[in-house]
Amino acid sequence: MSIYFALQLLVIIIAIISTFIYRRRRLKQRTLQPPAGFQKTNEIFIDPTTGVQQQVWFNPSTGERFYERTDKNKK
């Protein structure tokens, strides 16, 4: 019985740590400058979830997109 509760506690702790790491990396990516190999596009939009204006960068070799925050005043 105690092993069952220990496993549940372990799963919950792993889920909390994973969520924290994922969110931290995602927020960090929003504040960094575009990585090397990315090209600036003409696309600028306002993120509907945060209300922040963002510039879109595109990497033609991987197809990956990078969103640079251009409105520094909002969160």
Side-chain angles (χ1 to χ4, degrees):
M1 196 70 156
S2 64
I3 291 176
Y4 175 73
F5 290 113
L7 285 176
Q8 281 186 331
L9 182 62
L10 181 64
V11 168
I12 290 171
I13 290 172
I14 290 172
I16 291 171
I17 291 172
S18 299
T19 301
F20 177 76
I21 292 170
Y22 171 77
R23 290 180 57 96
R24 188 176 180 114
R25 284 186 182 171
R26 187 169 177 197
L27 291 175
K28 185 176 182 182
Q29 183 183 13
R30 287 183 180 174
T31 59
L32 295 176
Q33 295 295 319
F38 279 73
Q39 298 175 355
K40 190 175 188 176
T41 67
N42 293 329
E43 184 178 350
I44 296 175
F45 70 97
I46 296 175
D47 186 346
T49 59
T50 61
V52 174
Q53 182 176 337
Q54 296 189 355
Q55 169 72 49
V56 179
W57 293 72
F58 178 71
N59 187 333
S61 61
T62 63
E64 187 178 1
R65 294 166 62 99
F66 179 84
Y67 303 99
E68 178 186 24
R69 185 176 173 172
T70 57
D71 187 4
K72 306 289 184 192
N73 295 330
K74 293 188 177 183
K75 281 189 170 182

